[in-house]
Amino acid sequence: MNTVTPTPAQVSRALEGKVALVTGASSGIGRASALELSRRGAKVVVAARRREELDTLVDAIRTIGADAAAITVDVTREDDIKAMVKFAVDTYGHLDIAFNNAGTEGVFAPLLEQDAARFDMVFEPNVRGVFNSMKYEAEVMLAQGAGSIINNASMGAVIGFENASLYIATKHAVVGMTKTASIEWFRHGVRVNSLCPGLIETPFHHRGIWPSPEAQQAFAAGTPAGRFGSAEEMATLSPSSARRTRRISRGMRS
């Protein structure tokens, strides 16, 4: 089969005319992904709870000559998610790409020390939030006959970690929903993939989930890369998943 390798210029503007939505866009992988999607030519709707960070991000996107709009969203509230998707379509006319990145780590502790409140704290944004986001995004994309949904899971979606039972369970759930939705919607033009990042340098890793900085660095040193990855490195994967043709990409990417 003959293939044509796109030029750097074609790759850099491969999402020209597309509209992307990014949740959890105020920091980390979400922020970096919104910037990368805009560099690739997409118009980007950024969503998170912290308005000030969103406004700063929109300014940064506009500084590079791209278009962006912000909406304050709490993904534990279904009405917020419904309004978010409507805002994206009302602002730009359609929705081509959705990166469901918002989530939380919850409280890391032995399973026997977890309780219903901690369960809800992590399952509401990480599972129900992703479920509702997929649902309302897909309604738009299925009506269009095309679209790409990307869910941010974790390497914890395919393995386990001590003291992380609730967080790990939510990420397994994200991958399960991704696989199921990809089967249901693939023939209708909507692709669903999940990203499973490893150790990425984001605020997540500075909120007390490690017993000590030394333990954190030792764990990173034992990985194949020997270091933490960066949010900017992860950000290149969302546009890559979004632009792949429907016949070759669905399910899960690690």
Side-chain angles (χ1 to χ4, degrees):
M1 181 175 65
N2 293 326
T3 60
V4 177
T5 302
T7 67
Q10 288 172 324
V11 170
S12 67
R13 303 300 294 180
L15 301 179
E16 194 79 50
K18 302 294 185 182
V19 176
L21 168 63
V22 180
T23 69
S26 57
S27 65
I29 294 172
R31 186 180 195 281
S33 296
L35 285 164
E36 185 64 23
L37 287 161
S38 66
R39 291 188 191 102
R40 303 288 182 99
K43 298 174 182 176
V44 183
V45 173
V46 295
R49 291 176 298 175
R50 301 192 296 273
R51 184 71 199 203
E52 185 175 350
E53 285 90 337
L54 290 178
D55 289 341
T56 300
L57 175 57
V58 168
D59 289 342
I61 290 172
R62 290 174 178 169
T63 297
I64 62 176
D67 195 359
I71 181 170
T72 305
V73 170
D74 181 343
V75 296
T76 67
R77 299 173 180 170
E78 184 173 358
D79 286 346
D80 276 19
I81 292 172
K82 189 173 183 179
M84 172 185 73
V85 174
K86 183 177 186 300
F87 174 79
V89 175
D90 287 349
T91 302
Y92 293 119
H94 52 103
L95 179 62
D96 305 292
I97 303 157
F99 181 34
N100 297 318
N101 169 72
T104 185
E105 71 278 10
V107 177
F108 277 40
L111 189 147
L112 291 178
E113 295 178 13
Q114 302 288 10
D115 57 26
R118 289 179 175 180
F119 183 99
D120 291 343
M121 178 195 303
V122 66
F123 267 77
E124 283 298 309
N126 291 14
V127 181
R128 191 187 300 274
V130 172
F131 164 74
N132 282 324
S133 295
M134 291 170 65
K135 174 182 173 181
Y136 289 108
E137 292 155 359
E139 285 180 354
V140 173
M141 293 177 180
L142 290 168
Q144 295 170 167
S148 173
I149 295 173
I150 304 150
N151 298 320
N152 199 6
S154 165
M155 66 178 179
V158 293
I159 58 176
F161 284 109
E162 186 178 9
N163 296 329
S165 58
L166 297 182
Y167 174 77
I168 294 294
T170 66
K171 295 306 182 177
H172 275 70
V174 168
V175 167
M177 289 190 294
T178 298
K179 290 179 176 180
T180 301
S182 72
I183 294 168
E184 292 180 5
W185 301 335
F186 180 65
R187 289 189 180 91
H188 303 286
V190 177
R191 291 171 293 109
V192 189
N193 289 277
S194 62
L195 303 183
C196 295
L199 296 175
I200 306 300
E201 180 56 50
T202 67
F204 174 98
H205 287 285
H206 299 280
R207 293 198 286 253
I209 69 170
W210 295 95
S212 69
E214 292 75 21
Q216 180 180 357
Q217 293 307 317
F219 192 94
T223 66
R227 63 172 177 84
F228 273 71
S230 71
E232 289 71 26
E233 287 172 315
M234 280 305 303
T236 63
L237 296 179
S238 296
S240 253
S241 293
R243 66 183 291 270
R244 289 175 182 270
T245 61
R246 61 178 286 198
R247 63 190 177 88
I248 61 171
S249 178
R250 64 180 176 90
M252 180 174 72
R253 291 171 60 79
S254 59

